[in-house]
Amino acid sequence: MACRISELVLGCRDPEVLARFWCEVLDFVVLDREEDCIEIGPREGFGGPQPTIILSRRDEPEPGKPRLHIDVNATDRDQDAELERLLELGARPADIGQTGEEPWHVLADPEGNEFCLLRARIEHLGQG
């Protein structure tokens, strides 16, 4: 038996802004809301094959604690179309020293958290 990732926690200045952004990117919904945290996840709710994301208010990143890095794959379009959609949602290109030959795009969300859009397309579960 092995563990699986059930949730990811991302420290951020404005959980509301990032919740809207990541819900649009991932087709997630708000599952729970507390004073300084918002948990978002798949429409099916907790406990499924996808982890939830907890956006936790932090004024500044904690010293010595790296921010979370997320990789995403388009599930219903090619990489170029998904890149265009993400940029329209408020993502922006991020330069972390890549050569330009990588098969992925490095982006930043509205608060500057880096994430990658991978080229490989993931088929929906149960579709082969």
PDB file of all heavy atoms in Angstrom, residues 19 42 64 72 75 85 101 108:
ATOM      1  N   ALA A  19      -7.952  31.501  -5.337  1.00  0.00           N
ATOM      2  CA  ALA A  19      -9.018  30.499  -5.448  1.00  0.00           C
ATOM      3  C   ALA A  19      -9.746  30.672  -6.779  1.00  0.00           C
ATOM      4  O   ALA A  19      -9.992  29.695  -7.497  1.00  0.00           O
ATOM      5  CB  ALA A  19      -9.993  30.609  -4.278  1.00  0.00           C
ATOM      6  N   PRO A  42     -11.934  19.245  -6.826  1.00  0.00           N
ATOM      7  CA  PRO A  42     -12.815  18.798  -7.900  1.00  0.00           C
ATOM      8  C   PRO A  42     -14.280  18.869  -7.495  1.00  0.00           C
ATOM      9  O   PRO A  42     -14.611  18.809  -6.308  1.00  0.00           O
ATOM     10  CB  PRO A  42     -12.383  17.348  -8.152  1.00  0.00           C
ATOM     11  CG  PRO A  42     -11.499  16.967  -7.035  1.00  0.00           C
ATOM     12  CD  PRO A  42     -11.059  18.199  -6.336  1.00  0.00           C
ATOM     13  N   GLY A  64      12.924  30.239   4.569  1.00  0.00           N
ATOM     14  CA  GLY A  64      13.430  28.888   4.431  1.00  0.00           C
ATOM     15  C   GLY A  64      12.405  27.866   3.977  1.00  0.00           C
ATOM     16  O   GLY A  64      12.692  26.687   3.884  1.00  0.00           O
ATOM     17  N   VAL A  72       0.650  21.455 -14.426  1.00  0.00           N
ATOM     18  CA  VAL A  72      -0.685  21.173 -14.948  1.00  0.00           C
ATOM     19  C   VAL A  72      -0.577  20.653 -16.376  1.00  0.00           C
ATOM     20  O   VAL A  72       0.380  20.951 -17.084  1.00  0.00           O
ATOM     21  CB  VAL A  72      -1.611  22.420 -14.900  1.00  0.00           C
ATOM     22  CG1 VAL A  72      -1.820  22.890 -13.473  1.00  0.00           C
ATOM     23  CG2 VAL A  72      -1.066  23.551 -15.750  1.00  0.00           C
ATOM     24  N   THR A  75      -6.461  18.864 -20.394  1.00  0.00           N
ATOM     25  CA  THR A  75      -7.199  17.615 -20.523  1.00  0.00           C
ATOM     26  C   THR A  75      -8.123  17.613 -21.730  1.00  0.00           C
ATOM     27  O   THR A  75      -8.593  16.556 -22.130  1.00  0.00           O
ATOM     28  CB  THR A  75      -8.054  17.346 -19.264  1.00  0.00           C
ATOM     29  OG1 THR A  75      -8.940  18.449 -19.073  1.00  0.00           O
ATOM     30  CG2 THR A  75      -7.182  17.148 -18.044  1.00  0.00           C
ATOM     31  N   ARG A  85      -5.402  30.208 -22.912  1.00  0.00           N
ATOM     32  CA  ARG A  85      -6.453  30.309 -21.884  1.00  0.00           C
ATOM     33  C   ARG A  85      -5.873  30.740 -20.543  1.00  0.00           C
ATOM     34  O   ARG A  85      -6.425  31.614 -19.860  1.00  0.00           O
ATOM     35  CB  ARG A  85      -7.172  28.963 -21.741  1.00  0.00           C
ATOM     36  CG  ARG A  85      -8.358  28.992 -20.797  1.00  0.00           C
ATOM     37  CD  ARG A  85      -9.023  27.625 -20.709  1.00  0.00           C
ATOM     38  NE  ARG A  85      -8.359  26.760 -19.769  1.00  0.00           N
ATOM     39  CZ  ARG A  85      -8.663  26.682 -18.472  1.00  0.00           C
ATOM     40  NH1 ARG A  85      -9.623  27.432 -17.962  1.00  0.00           N
ATOM     41  NH2 ARG A  85      -8.012  25.858 -17.679  1.00  0.00           N
ATOM     42  N   GLU A 101      14.024  25.431 -25.070  1.00  0.00           N
ATOM     43  CA  GLU A 101      13.900  24.131 -25.725  1.00  0.00           C
ATOM     44  C   GLU A 101      13.024  23.168 -24.927  1.00  0.00           C
ATOM     45  O   GLU A 101      12.736  22.064 -25.390  1.00  0.00           O
ATOM     46  CB  GLU A 101      15.293  23.504 -25.919  1.00  0.00           C
ATOM     47  CG  GLU A 101      16.220  24.326 -26.774  1.00  0.00           C
ATOM     48  CD  GLU A 101      15.700  24.485 -28.209  1.00  0.00           C
ATOM     49  OE1 GLU A 101      15.215  23.485 -28.775  1.00  0.00           O
ATOM     50  OE2 GLU A 101      15.774  25.602 -28.733  1.00  0.00           O
ATOM     51  N   ALA A 108       3.493  32.061 -14.053  1.00  0.00           N
ATOM     52  CA  ALA A 108       3.265  32.494 -12.676  1.00  0.00           C
ATOM     53  C   ALA A 108       1.792  32.840 -12.537  1.00  0.00           C
ATOM     54  O   ALA A 108       1.189  33.418 -13.447  1.00  0.00           O
ATOM     55  CB  ALA A 108       4.127  33.702 -12.326  1.00  0.00           C
TER      56      ALA A 108
END
